[in-house]
Amino acid sequence: MYHPFSVTETLSIAWHILKKNVATIAVYTIVAFFVVGGSGFVIYNLLNDEVLISIGVVVLLIGVSFLFLGFIKLVFQLIDREFYDFGFGDIVPKIKMLGSYLLLLVIVSTLAVFMNNAIQYLGDGIVQSILGIFIFLVIQFFFLFYFPICACFIVDDQSGPFESVAQSFKLIKGNFFKYFLLFLLIEAMVVIGTITRIGMIFVIPFVNILLVVAYRKLVYSHLDVDDDITETV
């Protein structure tokens, strides 16, 4: 049956997925932490040449993006495993997905830098300060609020960077305040996880599971079809 988007149901489903697949998720998360942490250590502590450090940072960014998209694919597979089995190849991001994600990341980051540099020509004053704060908040809001949904479209629908942005705006429209409430809950979890340090090992995967489930629930809320996630949990 048709199910509208619900924050409490999204939390419940995400928690169920985490509990049911805790071993799989834990292994992926630990491997990802070691890969990223080890790469970061090598780049910032063992490399001395600035060119090599720059190349290392780019490679690390690509690696982090690859692991992030891979985790999203993994969550999609865990959601759908009630209907079919999956293998390692099913969670490996395609080159197109990685390219679209990185291109969107670069475009938004470049736009943010361009706007910040542009307001510098206004000279010191309250107008410059207000615009600077406004631009910072808008960019951060997009990265934290819309960007994860864009990533889901890139993985699930193989959308391009611009297409994913348009799709994310359309998907959240109509459920903005419910999704905003979920966004606030996620931000609270991240803050708590940051304070406890070790809590981030739990918070990061759970937050990403939440976002994928929210994406799926939002998709179903726009369609007059069976909500498979709800029906199988």
Side-chain angles (χ1 to χ4, degrees):
M1 66 180 67
Y2 171 76
H3 293 276
F5 180 70
S6 166
V7 174
T8 54
E9 195 171 52
T10 299
L11 287 166
S12 175
I13 294 170
W15 179 246
H16 175 83
I17 292 171
L18 178 63
K19 287 195 302 180
K20 189 175 181 180
N21 304 281
V22 64
T24 302
I25 293 169
V27 169
Y28 190 98
T29 302
I30 292 171
V31 170
F33 266 97
F34 272 105
V35 170
V36 174
S39 300
F41 177 82
V42 170
I43 292 170
Y44 293 107
N45 292 281
L46 301 182
L47 298 181
N48 297 318
D49 186 79
E50 290 186 3
V51 175
L52 290 178
I53 292 175
S54 298
I55 294 174
V57 170
V58 172
V59 172
L60 180 59
L61 174 61
I62 295 173
V64 170
S65 300
F66 183 86
L67 290 169
F68 174 62
L69 295 177
F71 188 80
I72 292 178
K73 287 201 72 175
L74 173 62
V75 177
F76 278 129
Q77 298 299 330
L78 293 176
I79 291 174
D80 297 331
R81 74 185 308 172
E82 300 285 344
F83 309 103
Y84 58 84
D85 294 325
F86 67 92
F88 177 76
D90 295 316
I91 67 172
V92 177
K94 296 181 179 179
I95 297 299
K96 180 184 176 182
M97 295 176 186
L98 184 61
S100 296
Y101 178 82
L102 287 171
L103 182 57
L104 179 59
L105 183 64
V106 169
I107 290 173
V108 177
S109 300
T110 302
L111 184 61
V113 172
F114 175 79
M115 289 189 296
N116 281 322
N117 289 337
I119 64 174
Q120 299 302 318
Y121 291 99
L122 296 176
D124 295 333
I126 189 170
V127 175
Q128 183 191 64
S129 299
I130 292 175
L131 285 176
I133 295 173
F134 176 76
I135 291 173
F136 173 80
L137 291 176
V138 169
I139 295 297
Q140 289 299 311
F141 185 75
F142 176 81
F143 266 120
L144 298 173
F145 194 78
Y146 286 101
F147 204 82
I149 300 297
C150 293
C152 289
F153 271 114
I154 288 172
V155 171
D156 190 43
D157 207 33
Q158 298 192 42
S159 303
F162 299 107
E163 183 185 9
S164 68
V165 173
Q167 289 174 314
S168 66
F169 276 94
K170 183 178 179 181
L171 187 68
I172 294 175
K173 182 180 179 181
N175 288 289
F176 181 88
F177 292 107
K178 288 182 180 179
Y179 184 69
F180 185 72
L181 176 58
L182 182 64
F183 166 76
L184 294 178
L185 290 173
I186 289 174
E187 289 302 296
M189 291 182 206
V190 171
V191 170
I192 295 173
T194 303
I195 293 173
T196 58
R197 300 282 181 164
I198 192 67
M200 289 302 290
I201 297 177
F202 165 79
V203 169
I204 290 178
F206 183 61
V207 162
N208 284 305
I209 293 171
L210 262 177
L211 291 167
V212 175
V213 173
Y215 161 83
R216 273 290 180 88
K217 290 290 295 175
L218 285 167
V219 168
Y220 281 121
S221 72
H222 284 264
L223 301 174
D224 188 17
V225 296
D226 288 342
D227 186 345
D228 296 323
I229 302 178
T230 302
E231 301 299 332
T232 56
V233 171

